[in-house]
Amino acid sequence: MDKEREMMMLCLLLAAICSPVLSESWKATVVKNLDVLVSSCVVVPCSFSHPKEKLPTSRLRGIWHRSDKRDEIIYYEDKTRVLENFRGRTQMLGDLGQNNCTLEIVEIKNHDNGPFCFRIELARTETDTETKDKFSFVEDCVELNMLPGPPKPKLVHLQTGTEGHPYIVTCSVTHTCPSHPPTLTWSRSTRDGLIEDHREIHSGFWETQSILTFIPEVKDDHSEITCTAEFHKQQTSSATMKVYVKRSENYNHIIIPAVVGVATAVIFGVFCIFMVKKYKSRIAELQNQEGTMWNRLSRLSRRNRV
Ligand SMILES: *[C@@H]1O[C@H](CO)[C@@H](O)[C@H](O)[C@H]1NC(C)=O
């Protein structure tokens, strides 16, 4: 009983040691599904590993074929072996020497659904057409789903902008054709900047993004902004949003009338004081004159009486 247990432990230990070696077999990693746009292109990410020592690129032959039929080749170095329908439309973007089997298909047609699988052959010599090792990664194939039309861009923005403060709108669209990415354009021109970005969100799916920044004015309230995505071969789609702008939070509408009111009052007050002073001295002058006139008159009457 103890012996049996020991044996089992030994076996488990051996398996643990051996498994990393065994797992180092021919293996490919291909994205399973991609959404593609007819007449656009698709880049299928693919990588592989193998148990052999580093293989020279010149002896490697990469093949992409229809999953059910190995002889229906859609990509091969020797173009004459490629299905007429795919000839000139497929290209190996990856470097096989770097274990990269990334495939590009351009001018996508309605019936390019696949599934397409990667297969690799190792030639005996560089010029040899006969091959020594062959391996098909029939388990790792890609299926292409045809989109009914170009995907709509997505707009992200603030609910309401503020007059005089930067307003940011983000427009993004997904695609699977990084060699001819869609271009994004705006219905509104801007002096305040446009940021463009292009990145892979996850294997095979890309996103093109454009960020519009502008300083809204009150007259922009309720105006519309459209972002248009143009895909390969003039296929377009667009999204529109409405801008709402609120007045900036300042107290000018209270402060300015108040300042004007106070200033008017002060000026009026100064004017009044000035006028009162002026009239007071004038009255005093008149009273003086009156006095002298009276004196003169009384002197005259006295003289007449004499
Ligand atoms: C494989 O090749 C493609 C095309 O050159 C490249 O974009 C991609 O990054 C490569 N993948 C890896 C894992 O190096």
Side-chain angles (χ1 to χ4, degrees), residues 155 167 169 186-188 212 214 223-227 239-243:
L155 289 168
Y167 188 77
V169 191
W186 295 90
S187 60
R188 186 196 161 100
L212 173 81
F214 65 95
S223 64
E224 281 188 343
I225 293 183
T226 301
C227 173
T240 300
M241 59 159 287
K242 220 168 197 173
V243 184

Side-chain angles (χ1 to χ4, degrees), residues 87-120:
R87 216 170 286 164
R89 290 204 294 129
T90 52
Q91 192 188 345
M92 182 75 75
L93 291 187
D95 178 356
L96 292 180
Q98 304 278 331
N99 296 357
N100 189 333
C101 41
T102 299
L103 173 81
E104 181 190 48
I105 310 175
V106 298
E107 286 164 49
I108 292 287
K109 292 187 164 64
N110 236 333
H111 50 260
D112 290 350
N113 306 69
F116 302 117
C117 311
F118 177 65
R119 171 179 161 85
I120 196 160

